[in-house]
């Protein structure tokens, strides 16, 4: 490796075994496992709160063959999981990375349960818990995704105000989740299909991604890890071709931390850096769920010492719906699969199978060079949908008069309001789709012909759970824009999370990475709910073992899980 830095300090401010830069799912997994293995660990976090984008997520981790699948009577096998993954990534993936997901992912979960006291549970086989491409061989209807249930904040002790969650805007404000995680059916009823948080676990409790981050953070702290918030990593310190530490910034001054065993970069994506988005992202992304500190710092730190990169223009794509004030976006995963809905472009034409998982549909808007091809896009629905489905009713009744919404009594009038030309296209598209819906088949895009569409549709709707006519006025439109959960790709890593040198093609000694600042094990694909956090667990665990000389967990099915409550 060509040595690109000359910043070894005369004196270190702190010396430790492992330095972890960032505090999302990958970083906290690495920190927890390294600490459990007996290493001294220091976490450097740029933001004033811990958890990164992970803490703002749904908190699911896609781990095929996990031990909890049997709790929902879903079986799995290495052969079927591998068949599915290989079909998802085609020739874009690397076999040793897929091997790690299937073989080491379940071991990472067992390790964190038995040695770290981290509680996991499997999502049931229902609706959107299924794998995202269920038309491929080896898919499962659910249960490959785990979450951490709930988390009692008092477990963080003096660090309680450092945990980020959706209701916390700064370290000085602590609003807590008080509702259980549920997966509601399409009719919007309150029937629960997932484990609720017990009544005596409500006060001082977080769920979802905050629980995921909170449990990992607690495991790291319980085993001696140190945390510095508001301390961004700036540069890697290299000596003799090996990464030996990090130059950070603390209280406005340089802060040097030596790492005897290794440095792990887990700084998230780069969506909040406009320059990097312009340089690296090939598709339009107008909104991204990543937290404000996701500015590509880790990418640039690794590249500065000669790291190779991979999959930089990829993302976890997601179609977005602007909020009433246009600064807050949501997504329409459930609504897009319901009968009496379609999606059209600015020419009034359908261009996709509407219920398609959010990553695959997010890539259908076109590239930046396409114009983009299918923007603006509109989700169209009629009064039948409003009368049948609560979510569509909410759109119709709360967005009137707002930007990105229109309603009209005829398709031509709606087209005129939306700027669709020629306006006759919209009527033709709606009538054509209605004829398909009446027969229960969509020869244009195959909607309603695969398990995903049916699971997300309305099982009471006949003859097809996902197809319904568009013929009852008024007609409604909600604008859809291209977005992402996070960028995907970065420093190229191997199946142990070691960063690869662009000069030698071999690991850079002392440097590891994971999460959205590293290359993906599933480039171009989103296998199932929580695929990003599943990879975070897997490769964060493997990197920590590699740095500390630890051994992989062995299957242990006897006795009560250490993290169970």
């Amino acid at each position: 490796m060509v040595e690109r830095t000359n910043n070894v300090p005369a004196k270190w401010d702190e010396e430790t075994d492992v330095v972890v830069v960032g505090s999302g799912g990958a970083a906290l997994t690495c920190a927890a496992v390294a600490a459990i293995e007996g290493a001294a660990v220091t976490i450097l976090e740029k933001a004033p709160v811990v958890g990164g984008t992970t803490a703002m997520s749904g908190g699911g981790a896609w781990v095929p063959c996990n031990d909890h699948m049997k709790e929902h009577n879903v079986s799995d096998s290495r052969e079927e999981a591998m068949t599915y993954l290989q079909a998802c990534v085609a020739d874009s993936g690397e076999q040793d990375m897929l091997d790690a997901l299937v073989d080491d992912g379940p071991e990472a979960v067992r390790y964190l349960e038995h040695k770290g006291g981290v509680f996991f549970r499997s999502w049931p086989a229902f609706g959107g818990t299924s794998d995202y491409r269920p038309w491929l061989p080896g898919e499962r209807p659910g249960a490959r995704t785990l979450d951490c249930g709930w988390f009692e904040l008092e477990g963080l002790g003096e660090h309680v105000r450092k945990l980020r969650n959706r209701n916390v805007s700064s370290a000085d404000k602590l609003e807590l989740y008080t509702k259980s995680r549920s997966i509601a059916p399409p009719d919007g009823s309150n029937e629960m299909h997932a484990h609720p948080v017990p009544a005596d676990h409500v006060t001082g409790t977080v769920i979802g991604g905050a629980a995921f981050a909170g449990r990992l953070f607690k495991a790291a702290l319980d085993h001696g890890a140190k945390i510095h918030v508001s301390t961004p990593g700036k540069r890697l310190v290299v000596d003799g071709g090996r990464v030996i530490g990090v130059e950070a910034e603390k209280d406005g001054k340089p802060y040097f931390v030596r790492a005897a065993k290794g440095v792990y970069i887990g700084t998230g994506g780069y969506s909040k850096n406009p320059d990097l988005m312009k340089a690296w992202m090939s598709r339009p992304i107008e909104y991204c769920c990543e937290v404000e500190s996701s500015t590509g710092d880790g990418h640039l730190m690794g590249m500065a010492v000669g790291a190779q990169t991979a999959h930089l223009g990829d993302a976890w794509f997601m179609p977005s719906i602007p909020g009433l004030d246009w600064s807050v976006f949501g997504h329409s995963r459930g609504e897009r699969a319901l009968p009496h809905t379609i999606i059209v472009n600015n020419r009034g034409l359908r261009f996709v199978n509407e219920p398609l998982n959010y990553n695959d549909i997010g890539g259908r808007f076109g590239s930046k060079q396409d114009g983009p091809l299918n923007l603006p896009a509109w989700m169209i629905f009629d009064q039948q949908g409003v009368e049948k489905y609560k979510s569509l009713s909410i759109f119709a009744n709360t967005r009137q008069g707002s930007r990105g919404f229109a309603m009209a009594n005829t398709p031509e009038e709606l087209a005129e309001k939306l700027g669709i030309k020629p306006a006759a296209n919209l009527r033709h598209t709606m009538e054509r789709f209605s004829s398909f819906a009446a027969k229960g088949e969509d020869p244009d895009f195959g909607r309603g012909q695969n398990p995903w569409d049916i699971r997300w549709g309305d099982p009471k709707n006949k003859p097809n759970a996902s197809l319904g006519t568009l013929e009852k006025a008024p007609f409604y439109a909600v604008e859809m824009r291209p977005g992402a959960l996070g960028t995907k790709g970065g420093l190229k890593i191997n199946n142990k999370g070691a960063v690869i040198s662009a000069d030698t093609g071999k690991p850079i000694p002392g440097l590891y990475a994971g999460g959205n600042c590293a290359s993906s094990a599933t480039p171009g694909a989103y296998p199932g709910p929580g695929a990003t956090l599943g990879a975070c667990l897997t490769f964060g665990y493997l990197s920590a073992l590699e740095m500390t000389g630890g051994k992989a967990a062995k299957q242990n099915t006897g006795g009560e899980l250490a993290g169970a409550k």
Side-chain angles (χ1 to χ4, degrees), residues 81-91 98 133 135-138 525:
M82 188 61 68
T83 295
Y84 176 70
L85 280 169
Q86 289 171 335
C88 281
V89 303
D91 62 356
L98 301 183
R133 291 178 170 177
W135 54 88
L136 296 177

Side-chain angles (χ1 to χ4, degrees), residues 398-419:
T398 63
R399 294 182 175 245
Q400 294 187 28
S402 66
R403 180 180 173 185
F405 176 85
M407 61 181 294
N409 289 318
T410 68
E412 290 82 3
E413 181 185 355
L414 187 63
E416 183 176 352
K417 290 185 176 182
L418 300 179

Side-chain angles (χ1 to χ4, degrees), residues 46-50 52 55-56 160-177 206 210 230 291-293:
K46 179 180 182 179
V49 285
V50 171
M56 304 293 285
V160 64
R161 292 185 178 273
K162 290 189 176 76
L163 181 64
R164 180 193 296 270
N165 70 62
R166 287 192 181 102
N167 295 327
V168 176
S169 56
S170 72
D172 299 321
K173 182 180 179 184
L174 192 63
E175 300 287 344
L176 308 178
Y177 289 127
V206 291
S230 301
V291 294
E292 69 287 344
S293 54

Side-chain angles (χ1 to χ4, degrees), residues 42-275:
T42 295
I43 304 169
L44 305 175
E45 169 53 49
K46 179 180 182 179
V49 285
V50 171
T53 303
T54 293
M56 304 293 285
S57 73
W62 190 82
V63 182
C65 301
N66 72 75
D67 294 342
H68 294 279
M69 294 180 70
K70 60 182 178 290
E71 296 165 11
H72 295 290
N73 299 315
V74 178
S75 63
D76 204 357
S77 70
R78 186 186 194 281
E79 179 182 6
E80 290 179 295
M82 188 61 68
T83 295
Y84 176 70
L85 280 169
Q86 289 171 335
C88 281
V89 303
D91 62 356
S92 297
E94 298 179 18
Q95 187 58 49
D96 60 348
M97 300 292 281
L98 301 183
D99 288 339
L101 285 178
V102 176
D103 297 332
D104 298 304
E107 288 195 346
V109 173
R110 294 182 200 117
Y111 181 102
L112 288 166
E113 287 178 321
H114 294 293
K115 293 191 175 183
V118 179
F119 171 73
F120 289 99
R121 64 183 183 183
S122 178
W123 288 6
F126 170 81
T129 69
S130 70
D131 290 342
Y132 283 172
R133 291 178 170 177
W135 54 88
L136 296 177
E139 67 91 17
R140 284 295 179 271
R144 280 176 172 163
T145 299
L146 302 160
D147 72 14
C148 289
W150 60 94
F151 175 65
E152 305 289 355
L153 284 167
E154 58 264 29
L156 295 178
E158 64 179 295
H159 299 284
V160 64
R161 292 185 178 273
K162 290 189 176 76
L163 181 64
R164 180 193 296 270
N165 70 62
R166 287 192 181 102
N167 295 327
V168 176
S169 56
S170 72
D172 299 321
K173 182 180 179 184
L174 192 63
E175 300 287 344
L176 308 178
Y177 289 127
T178 57
K179 295 183 179 180
S180 64
R181 178 183 179 87
S182 66
I183 302 172
D187 61 6
S189 72
N190 292 322
E191 183 181 357
M192 302 294 286
H193 291 272
H195 305 293
V197 175
D200 60 349
H201 286 81
V202 172
T203 303
T205 301
V206 291
I207 61 171
F212 189 96
R215 287 189 181 272
L216 289 173
F217 187 30
K218 181 179 186 300
L221 293 172
D222 285 350
H223 289 84
K226 297 179 181 179
I227 176 76
H228 298 291
V229 296
S230 301
T231 308
K234 293 296 185 178
R235 281 167 287 278
L236 296 170
V237 181
V238 178
D239 187 25
R242 179 182 179 85
V243 174
I244 63 167
V246 176
E247 179 187 346
E249 183 180 287
K250 185 176 177 64
D251 299 325
K253 300 177 181 179
Y255 188 81
F256 289 89
V257 186
R258 182 178 179 86
K261 296 182 181 295
V263 172
Y264 187 87
I265 299 180
T267 52
Y270 59 88
S271 67
K272 304 308 179 184
N273 186 324
D275 291 337

